[in-house]
Amino acid sequence: MSAEVPALKPAHSYAYKLRTQRIGLWLFILSDAFMFGGLLVTRFYLLGNRRPDLDQFVGLIVTSVLLISSFFMNRAEVHISQGNQRGFITSTLITMLLGIGFLAGVIGVEWRMAHFGPADGPQGAVFYMMTGMHAFHVLTGVIFLAIILRNGLKGHYSAERHWAVEAAANYWHFVDVVWIFFYPALYLIGMAI
Amino acid sequence: MTGERKPRRVLIASANPLFGKGLMKLYGERWQQQAIQSRLASSMEETLAALDSWQPDLVIVDYDDRAIHREEFLSHFITGSRPMQVILVSLQESGAVVVYDRRTLTPAQANDWLNLPWQPEPSSNPPSRRTPKMKGNTRHLLIAGLLVIVSTAVLYFLLTSIGLLPEEASQQAATIDRLFNAHFFMISLLFSMIVVFLVYSIVVFRSKPGEKTEGAYIKGNNRLEILWTIIPLGTVIAFSFFGARNLAETRKAEPQALNIRVVAFQWGWSFEYSDFGVTSRELYLPVDRQALLSLTSRDVIHSFWVPEFRVKQDALPGENLVKQLRITPTRIGNYTVMCAELCGGAHAYMNAPVKVVSKADFDQWLGTQVSAVITDPVERGKKWAENTGCISCHSLDGKKLVGPTWKGLYGETVTLADGTTVVADETYLRTAILDPNAQITQGYPANVMPSNYSSLLTDDQINDLIEYIKSIH
Amino acid sequence: MKKILSIGMIRGLLAQVVGMAIGFGLVTLLQTLTGQPLKAEPAWVVGGFISALSFLTGLGIFNDWFRMARGDEVPEPEEVEEPRGLRRYWGVSYDHKVIGVQYAFLSLFLLAMGGSFALIFRVELAQAGLQFLSFNLFNTLIGLHGMVLIASILMGISAISNYVIPLIIGARDMAFPRLNAFSFWVAVPGALLLVFSLALGGFETGWTGYPPLSVRGPMGVQMFFLGVWFVGWSSILGALNLITTILRMRSKGMGYFRMPILAWAVLSTSIIALTATQMIGLSFQLVLFERLLGMGFFDPAQGGNPILFQHLFWFYSHPAVYIFVLPGLGVVSELLPVFVRKPLFGYRWVAMSSFGIGLVGFLVWAHHMFAAGMEEYLRVPFMYSTLLVAVPTGVKFFSWTATIWQGRMRLQTPMLFLIGAIVIFLLGGITGPLLGTVSTDLHATDTYYVVGHFHATMFGGYVFPFFAALYYWYPKITGRRMSERLGKWHFWLLFIGFMVMSLGQMRIGLLGMRRRIADYDPALGFQLPNLIITLAGFAVALSVLLLFINMFRSARKGEPATGNLWESRSPEWQIPSPTPAHNFSGEVVVTGDPYDYGLEGAPGYVRLEADLTHSPQPAD
């Protein structure tokens, strides 16, 4: 039997594959969400209506940085879907830089400034684990962005075909949404201890 | 292609094209287009030709005796012998519909068919949908049902008589064992229900090797499904309800429970009778009195369990995580508390003796324990006075309370209610404790001080109390 | 040398050793450079993590993805023509059939290993007194027995799902073939890490890993945590693939209520595996970091709470048991109609019952914690939810009984195992409620009663159906059938051995034998029962040996079976055996219901369009 595989009408078309890959990505995000949900449960179980004593100003800054990065991520996706390569590159680059800025803010500044360490009671354990896991996901997001940036510069994406960009964008937004839950949980809800 | 069957062939003989096409469509939708092939015949010639060459499985004959003739059709029909179904309808006559279901059977099958209960005239009720196979079904069901009942009884008897549980040595055990018995019944019933039907089927509904007959074509029964959803639902809710009541009963608190702090550690137990300052490596419990155990651990999670008492509770580290367990022993004897949560290392050997004794024996044991701890009888007497509550009525500083003060009492001359005087020596004091109404001091009420201290205190404790009273100058 | 290195598995193993050394070395170097005291544990943890990634890199599973990241062209998995022969089973293959067989081999290997651990400690337990095992080794072996077998079960259900699902829905492969290969291979270094815990001092906690004990005990527990983490990824990604495949790749005409019941079972299983697995990963991760960095999640002295661990852990580990049994129960539903020649009774209800079990299964976890010391108000609600699971499970049992009733039963080996599955899963199921009502649970929890109960559910819900599936689909995979004689011996030895074992365990549990104890007081009268249980365990092991012999011999000398030997309506039996390279040569179209056995003149379930490469096809 020849190696030739008959083209089975819609089964292997790009549109079909795209829908399949989308489902895959959302399922992955759903799974990851459970892990972050577990961290939230941990925070409320151990700390209840108390929260770690953190610098609100820095917290506000890093949150804004991340939210704005999501805006530019969306811009990047819109640009590429309209075939605007330059706009896509620029927006992706900005998103990346803002993401790195977020990491610098949390790991570089927030972690140094905190007057407690990971071994200092439940607030230390909760704070470092939550921000650490989230930061890890931001880091992987940044790496993903670096990949699509590089491939974008080589002209790999078109208005019709840019699944990697869509995937990176959705992943990035997911990580942002996680922070939308983590930020109040760590900085806003309850009394500082 | 192996496994694929012929599609069902339906011939519709009707002069009325609307009727024919409509029926084709309806039938097709019901069986989904692919299952059937239909043909329309609008004249007698077409119909008979199709009968012979196309060999339909079902023929729907709409006879009007002008284009399609009933008699002619039937006389042709009876010449054949293929399995076929025929349904004769007439749009002109609104009489009953006549159906023929022709089948060929083997002699054995024909025998079965002959033995089927004879059906009376079809009444205005719709014809019975129960095929012969299903009538025999009732018999099978009855036999299986009977076997289920027998099996349940046998299993339940077995489960409750082979002694699956240790002896009951606490009130909680008696309560819990009632629930166990209910569970044993359910286990017997459910096991029987499924396994009886299963084994019955293996015996009765088995295929011989190489036999190609198929089973009965039954796809489901919604009413049955609802029934066997609702009944189990009700049963589990009832069980939960009674389970909750059962749990609450085991947790009933007695006001005068004996407080014992149980400290678990890798790999042993320590029991602190905090009210008495006694620590022991053995758990002594007075029979018929509730013990309130406060469980804690020095290191990892352990668990307190005496099988004869049934209830179990994990002991956790942390001052804020002390857990309580109430046990009322009902049977004097020696038991063992075993750690029931893997705690590493010598978990298997983390046991301690549990001794359930009479109240008298318990008091005596406690007394010796305290004596071992507190060697000064005056100190001990002070402890008994505090624990038993003497000092709520007898002051130590001369103040007049409900009863006479103990300050300077020993050696004093006391005037009794009847006017006589007596010196408060040791004999006096002993009588005052054990039989207070025998010598009420003047100015104090009778029948107030309890006269049952003879059963609440041991002789040693009374001696200690006397020494204590003597010491208050 | 080059020939050896061309085998993926070998490359992976070598890379794993190298990766372990690199990780260990890096951490040691860092500790030296920063002037910190040299602690072995962080070095082993980092080493272990890197070693697993190294395995995968050396194996080459990342190659295509690296190429995609670099923007290079990568062939579609279905365009990759793989060499035939046994070699492909030792390296990366994108063919779901190969991956299914790989999963099956890993599963059987882990079964033998984990089972052997049990035989070892059962010999120790056969007599009172500590004969030859230390406490540490005993505790490690029971823990490994548990987790290695859990891994074996996960691999086994992946084996069935991966081989069978694409075939029964009429697809040519899974939705994500590369991810599929990854899901298999990631479990291999994970399993190795698990066993490596023996070398680092073992672990004292059993498979449940409760702190504070897991925080204080020997560092083998870190390998245990890492191993579970990687095996967990196999489960999650495999589930993702299966869900997508079932949602997207069913044949034309195969609506949800016309797809094989096994697809329903695998779908609900996969939803659980996709989501809940994260929680065991998280709970173990928190202990891992409590050990490494002193993060006080579960230490009361630091304001932590050990009960939090139990909540997080059991939130996965209870639904996990439904992951273990739902596919097997789906196999029972799928195969019964074939062997009793009768439709599956109440197909829709059975389909929904898998989802019902899955859903309720998420709501019961704290029944493992009735004695744990959690808040009192939680106990009764969890009792209600726990007993509720009996309702959808009951629907399955009643449906099976109604399917078999009035059928024409063909008692071939797969059917024997289906019957065994039903009886033993029934035993497991009906002995559950006693643990579900709180007051009786307070007596029975942490005793051998629990051990008897869950082994019954596992054997009934997984082991017996898995063996049924093996005997049933072996001809599909190899073109030969296994020996019926050996099959029957296997069945009876296993069934009787297991019943003796399980009933014995339940009995002594209620009478006072705790679980996870290396020794027991002979005065309690448990010595004879323990001896009998040990012997029964050996009978079980012997039966599995018979299976291995049967599988091995039949591969070369089994009776050829290249057609539809079971007379099944299912799509995979309408094509020749062994299954051709791309499964179906043309499109699969649904023409009838899957289980219309016994219907005179019923159309087939599916129709295969003619081979499109060879003849022009008239338009539909």
Side-chain angles (χ1 to χ4, degrees):
Chain A
M1 163 117 177
S2 73
E4 194 192 314
V5 167
L8 292 168
K9 299 164 305 195
H12 291 220
S13 73
Y14 182 78
Y16 177 90
K17 286 228 187 76
L18 189 62
R19 283 189 62 195
T20 303
Q21 284 167 323
R22 278 198 188 120
I23 292 185
L25 180 68
W26 282 110
L27 289 174
F28 180 80
I29 288 176
L30 175 66
S31 184
D32 219 3
F34 266 69
M35 187 276 294
F36 286 114
L39 281 174
L40 275 172
V41 166
T42 301
R43 174 253 178 272
F44 283 105
Y45 192 97
L46 289 178
L47 296 177
N49 65 352
R50 300 166 302 163
R51 65 170 168 80
D53 188 16
L54 300 167
D55 188 312
Q56 293 294 335
F57 182 64
V58 178
L60 202 54
I61 302 257
V62 297
T63 304
S64 314
V65 165
L66 196 63
L67 289 174
I68 294 171
S69 79
S70 248
F71 167 77
F72 280 100
M73 184 77 252
N74 178 254
R75 293 306 303 155
E77 201 186 342
V78 167
H79 280 312
I80 194 65
S81 72
Q82 295 169 339
N84 182 350
Q85 299 280 349
R86 273 204 60 194
F88 158 69
I89 298 290
T90 318
S91 295
T92 304
L93 192 58
I94 297 175
T95 311
M96 260 185 80
L97 293 171
L98 289 173
I100 293 171
F102 175 87
L103 287 172
V106 171
I107 311 292
V109 179
E110 193 71 89
W111 278 19
R112 285 249 195 91
M113 279 177 61
H115 61 84
F116 51 85
D120 291 328
Q123 83 263 31
V126 164
F127 172 75
Y128 285 97
M129 186 57 77
M130 281 174 72
T131 53
M133 286 303 280
H134 180 259
F136 175 74
H137 283 72
V138 174
L139 181 63
T140 53
V142 167
I143 295 173
F144 203 167
L145 288 176
I147 292 173
I148 65 164
L149 183 68
R150 183 164 173 274
N151 285 335
L153 284 167
K154 298 206 309 195
H156 272 293
Y157 306 121
S158 66
E160 300 79 22
R161 290 179 184 230
H162 55 269
W163 159 243
V165 178
E166 185 186 333
N170 282 328
Y171 183 70
W172 192 262
H173 293 315
F174 164 67
V175 177
D176 201 2
V177 168
V178 170
W179 187 253
I180 291 176
F181 283 88
F182 274 20
Y183 174 62
L186 288 171
Y187 289 81
L188 304 177
I189 298 177
M191 296 180 312
I193 42 173
Chain B
M1 197 123 349
T2 52
E4 202 189 36
R5 304 208 200 265
K6 297 194 309 163
R8 193 165 169 67
R9 293 184 169 168
V10 180
L11 177 67
I12 302 173
S14 174
N16 186 341
L18 273 175
F19 176 74
K21 288 226 174 69
L23 197 55
M24 233 163 72
K25 183 157 175 274
L26 258 169
Y27 200 72
E29 262 161 18
R30 187 159 172 269
W31 290 94
Q32 273 117 27
Q33 220 69 25
Q34 295 95 338
I36 58 159
Q37 289 172 1
S38 353
R39 268 205 207 168
L40 204 48
S42 42
S43 70
M44 221 40 226
E45 292 87 16
E46 270 185 73
T47 309
L48 296 179
L51 258 185
D52 291 329
S53 62
W54 197 51
Q55 311 216 318
D57 303 302
L58 167 68
V59 186
I60 305 175
V61 184
D62 162 35
Y63 59 91
D64 55 8
D65 288 331
R66 261 176 286 158
I68 309 286
H69 299 267
R70 189 171 181 275
E71 295 300 312
E72 201 182 332
F73 178 85
L74 282 173
S75 52
H76 201 93
F77 170 63
I78 57 171
T79 63
S81 60
R82 275 183 56 243
M84 194 164 85
Q85 290 176 323
V86 173
I87 169 168
L88 296 154
V89 301
S90 171
L91 293 179
Q92 264 106 36
E93 299 163 31
S94 53
V97 170
V98 177
V99 305
Y100 293 93
D101 189 357
R102 183 167 72 197
R103 282 179 276 156
T104 46
L105 305 173
T106 64
Q109 290 169 327
N111 198 40
D112 277 340
W113 183 80
L114 271 176
N115 287 331
L116 287 171
W118 180 72
Q119 291 249 166
E121 289 294 316
S123 53
S124 51
N125 295 336
S128 167
R129 285 161 32 109
R130 301 175 65 216
T131 64
K133 248 193 188 137
M134 292 192 216
K135 296 275 171 58
N137 195 32
T138 316
R139 191 173 57 103
H140 290 305
L141 283 173
L142 276 167
I143 299 176
L146 218 68
L147 287 170
V148 168
I149 294 174
V150 169
S151 168
T152 306
V154 168
L155 271 177
Y156 182 63
F157 171 73
L158 263 169
L159 287 177
T160 47
S161 59
I162 59 174
L164 283 178
L165 293 163
E167 59 158 341
E168 287 170 19
S170 74
Q171 269 182 16
Q172 288 77 14
T175 307
I176 290 173
D177 283 6
R178 273 187 277 122
L179 188 54
F180 266 117
N181 269 336
H183 279 296
F184 291 155
F185 177 77
M186 282 311 291
I187 289 173
S188 310
L189 176 64
L190 294 171
F191 191 79
S192 302
M193 270 196 329
I194 303 290
V195 173
V196 161
F197 274 84
L198 196 57
V199 172
Y200 192 95
S201 301
I202 294 173
V203 171
V204 172
F205 299 121
R206 191 144 102 204
S207 204
K208 302 211 185 28
E211 197 185 320
K212 291 297 171 191
T213 346
E214 306 280 86
Y217 184 69
I218 302 168
K219 293 191 89 152
N221 182 330
N222 269 345
R223 232 182 288 156
L224 195 54
E225 298 274 4
I226 292 173
L227 206 69
W228 71 38
T229 304
I230 298 284
I231 293 181
L233 184 63
T235 311
V236 300
I237 292 178
F239 248 90
S240 304
F241 178 75
F242 290 117
R245 281 239 300 246
N246 195 282
L247 176 65
E249 208 182 305
T250 66
R251 297 187 65 242
K252 269 209 297 250
E254 248 175 61
Q256 293 285 23
L258 176 62
N259 288 313
I260 305 174
R261 187 175 151 89
V262 177
V263 179
F265 53 90
Q266 285 170 321
W267 288 279
W269 299 91
S270 170
F271 307 102
E272 293 168 17
Y273 296 78
S274 24
D275 294 340
F276 303 94
V278 169
T279 304
S280 163
R281 298 303 299 275
E282 295 178 326
L283 182 60
Y284 268 81
L285 293 174
V287 71
D288 293 328
R289 181 172 171 205
Q290 193 179 78
L292 171 55
L293 307 176
S294 297
L295 303 162
T296 188
S297 162
R298 285 195 205 137
D299 35 48
V300 300
I301 301 178
H302 301 272
S303 193
F304 179 98
W305 187 45
V306 180
E308 291 82 0
F309 295 165
R310 302 291 184 270
V311 291
K312 184 185 279 128
Q313 175 58 50
D314 284 4
L316 307 172
E319 276 310 308
N320 57 327
L321 295 176
V322 175
K323 301 295 166 185
Q324 297 194 325
L325 188 63
R326 290 178 187 273
I327 298 180
T328 310
T330 48
R331 208 180 269 224
I332 293 175
N334 292 329
Y335 310 97
T336 313
V337 56
M338 310 188 267
C339 176
E341 181 62 54
L342 178 58
C343 48
H347 164 68
Y349 293 153
M350 187 171 155
N351 305 334
V354 177
K355 299 201 159 98
V356 178
V357 296
S358 68
K359 185 202 174 323
D361 287 341
F362 177 75
D363 289 339
Q364 180 166 58
W365 172 80
L366 200 56
T368 26
Q369 292 300 307
V370 175
S371 314
V373 176
I374 308 172
T375 43
D376 177 11
V378 171
E379 274 296 305
R380 291 199 299 263
K382 180 164 185 270
K383 196 156 192 74
W384 306 139
E386 284 159 8
N387 282 357
T388 323
C390 315
I391 51 180
S392 20
C393 296
H394 300 278
S395 74
L396 305 169
D397 56 5
K399 211 187 302 176
K400 180 182 175 190
L401 300 174
V402 178
T405 182
W406 283 355
K407 185 173 161 112
L409 173 60
Y410 182 68
E412 205 183 57
T413 311
V414 177
T415 318
L416 300 177
D418 60 7
T420 58
T421 58
V422 65
V423 174
D425 60 4
E426 287 190 16
T427 321
Y428 167 82
L429 287 177
R430 194 177 301 280
T431 319
I433 296 172
L434 293 175
D435 189 9
N437 287 326
Q439 28 170 88
I440 297 290
T441 311
Q442 200 177 63
Y444 290 91
N447 297 316
V448 173
M449 175 164 161
S451 21
N452 63 343
Y453 283 117
S454 55
S455 56
L456 286 179
L457 300 169
T458 62
D459 285 342
D460 287 331
Q461 285 174 310
I462 294 171
N463 290 338
D464 294 337
L465 271 170
I466 292 171
E467 290 305 311
Y468 177 57
I469 296 171
K470 278 161 71 172
S471 73
I472 305 173
H473 306 300
Chain C
M1 184 64 180
K2 207 142 181 231
K3 193 129 187 273
I4 297 179
L5 282 181
S6 72
I7 300 174
M9 176 87 174
I10 305 277
R11 283 198 311 272
L13 287 170
L14 289 170
Q16 181 157 18
V17 174
V18 171
M20 176 69 90
I22 290 177
F24 190 95
L26 260 169
V27 172
T28 314
L29 187 66
L30 261 165
Q31 286 171 339
T32 331
L33 287 176
T34 53
Q36 280 174 18
L38 288 180
K39 282 196 279 186
E41 189 166 321
W44 284 116
V45 171
V46 172
F49 187 78
I50 294 185
S51 80
L53 295 177
S54 279
F55 178 100
L56 296 166
T57 311
L59 173 73
I61 196 80
F62 290 131
N63 294 355
D64 270 8
W65 288 325
F66 282 151
R67 291 219 283 271
M68 284 161 73
R70 281 204 305 270
D72 297 335
E73 271 301 307
V74 170
E76 291 295 318
E78 53 259 25
E79 289 163 20
V80 174
E81 226 15 75
E82 291 175 7
R84 310 288 274 151
L86 286 177
R87 200 153 234 269
R88 64 204 293 225
Y89 291 90
W90 291 99
V92 176
S93 164
Y94 294 150
D95 184 341
H96 75 98
K97 299 186 290 298
V98 174
I99 295 172
V101 172
Q102 289 173 318
Y103 267 122
F105 271 105
L106 181 59
S107 169
L108 290 169
F109 175 75
L110 293 175
L111 177 70
M113 181 162 74
S116 303
F117 291 157
L119 290 178
I120 296 174
F121 65 72
R122 275 303 337 164
V123 169
E124 172 58 64
L125 284 172
Q127 279 181 284
L130 277 181
Q131 281 85 43
F132 62 95
L133 286 180
S134 66
F135 281 132
N136 174 279
L137 195 51
F138 180 90
N139 292 339
T140 305
L141 284 175
I142 54 165
L144 279 178
H145 166 72
M147 195 46 90
V148 167
L149 272 161
I150 287 175
S152 170
I153 295 177
L154 290 174
M155 297 303 109
I157 68 178
S158 289
I160 298 175
S161 308
N162 271 280
Y163 196 95
V164 174
I165 290 288
L167 286 172
I168 60 174
I169 65 173
R172 297 177 137 229
D173 208 303
M174 299 274 284
F176 306 116
R178 268 186 291 256
L179 189 67
N180 204 15
F182 179 84
S183 303
F184 165 68
W185 282 107
V186 73
V188 176
L192 289 170
L193 286 174
L194 267 181
V195 182
F196 188 58
S197 64
L198 278 162
L200 290 186
F203 56 103
E204 300 253 86
T205 58
W207 76 276
T208 46
Y210 280 12
L213 187 59
S214 49
V215 176
R216 294 164 179 242
M219 73 169 135
V221 77
Q222 296 284 35
M223 293 300 115
F224 171 72
F225 290 152
L226 283 175
V228 171
W229 200 82
F230 283 101
V231 173
W233 276 110
S234 169
S235 200
I236 291 173
L237 295 173
L240 188 158
N241 218 338
L242 284 164
I243 295 173
T244 313
T245 304
I246 294 172
L247 290 182
R248 295 284 297 151
M249 296 174 74
R250 280 164 292 121
S251 308
K252 183 164 152 194
M254 193 181 282
Y256 285 111
F257 287 113
R258 268 179 136 197
M259 66 180 183
I261 194 76
L262 183 60
W264 277 102
V266 169
L267 186 59
S268 51
T269 305
S270 301
I271 293 173
I272 305 173
L274 176 80
T275 51
T277 312
Q278 296 277 2
M279 298 313 268
I280 191 174
L282 180 68
S283 63
F284 282 177
Q285 186 179 311
L286 296 182
V287 179
L288 188 150
F289 278 94
E290 184 164 332
R291 284 183 72 105
L292 285 187
L293 299 179
M295 299 173 90
F297 295 104
F298 310 122
D299 182 4
Q302 284 181 271
N305 193 328
I307 298 184
L308 172 62
F309 175 87
Q310 295 178 37
H311 278 299
L312 293 173
F313 175 84
W314 287 111
F315 190 80
Y316 163 72
S317 301
H318 188 83
V321 313
Y322 297 116
I323 296 175
F324 302 154
V325 306
L326 280 174
L329 303 183
V331 167
V332 174
S333 302
E334 183 70 41
L335 263 48
L336 268 185
V338 180
F339 287 92
V340 300
R341 315 309 298 172
K342 199 167 155 283
L344 178 65
F345 191 95
Y347 165 93
R348 280 187 193 229
W349 290 80
V350 177
M352 293 288 99
S353 73
S354 291
F355 269 77
I357 291 175
L359 180 65
V360 179
F362 268 102
L363 304 174
V364 306
W365 78 89
H367 67 227
H368 299 270
M369 297 161 61
F370 282 152
M374 61 178 178
E375 292 80 353
E376 184 57 36
Y377 60 78
L378 289 175
R379 299 207 289 188
V380 169
F382 273 101
M383 169 171 63
Y384 273 88
S385 61
T386 298
L387 292 183
L388 200 61
V389 131
V391 178
T393 315
V395 167
K396 283 193 192 287
F397 275 109
F398 297 136
S399 300
W400 293 332
T401 310
T403 303
I404 294 174
W405 187 256
Q406 296 244 313
R408 301 298 282 175
M409 193 186 292
R410 300 179 176 180
L411 269 177
Q412 293 153 305
T413 304
M415 183 66 197
L416 284 178
F417 279 96
L418 294 177
I419 295 175
I422 294 175
V423 174
I424 290 178
F425 190 66
L426 178 68
L427 179 67
I430 60 182
T431 50
L434 187 154
L435 295 165
T437 52
V438 182
S439 48
T440 46
D441 180 74
L442 292 182
H443 176 70
T445 190
D446 262 300
T447 67
Y448 255 83
Y449 180 83
V450 179
V451 176
H453 159 75
F454 73 67
H455 279 87
T457 51
M458 291 297 104
F459 270 72
Y462 168 76
V463 176
F464 276 77
F466 181 69
F467 290 157
L470 270 180
Y471 284 96
Y472 183 74
W473 277 299
Y474 186 92
K476 190 85 233 137
I477 303 170
T478 62
R480 293 178 185 275
R481 54 188 301 176
M482 292 211 270
S483 154
E484 280 285 308
R485 232 189 83 239
L486 270 179
K488 290 185 159 80
W489 272 94
H490 172 199
F491 170 75
W492 284 109
L493 201 53
L494 180 65
F495 184 77
I496 295 175
F498 178 78
M499 289 295 275
V500 171
M501 189 175 94
S502 186
L503 290 170
Q505 288 169 330
M506 288 194 244
R507 187 175 154 267
I508 56 174
L510 287 179
L511 284 173
M513 173 129 182
R514 301 163 285 154
R515 60 184 292 201
R516 298 173 162 173
I517 51 177
D519 191 14
Y520 48 88
D521 184 358
L524 293 171
F526 295 148
Q527 192 157 259
L528 182 62
N530 267 301
L531 177 63
I532 296 176
I533 291 169
T534 299
L535 291 171
F538 272 89
V540 168
L542 184 61
S543 81
V544 176
L545 184 61
L546 289 179
L547 170 71
F548 288 167
I549 294 173
N550 200 350
M551 284 178 76
F552 186 70
R553 285 219 288 205
S554 306
R556 303 262 190 80
K557 310 217 197 105
E559 182 191 320
T562 52
N564 190 353
L565 75 163
W566 310 117
E567 294 186 286
S568 164
R569 289 167 62 81
S570 192
E572 79 273 22
W573 294 105
Q574 317 312 324
I575 52 178
S577 302
T579 321
H582 292 287
N583 303 351
F584 306 100
S585 53
E587 203 182 335
V588 176
V589 177
V590 170
T591 54
D593 280 340
Y595 306 109
D596 274 354
Y597 299 95
L599 175 63
E600 276 284 322
Y605 177 33
V606 296
R607 182 179 82 234
L608 303 184
E609 301 282 38
D611 188 343
L612 292 176
T613 58
H614 286 166
S615 57
Q617 192 61 15
D620 246 1

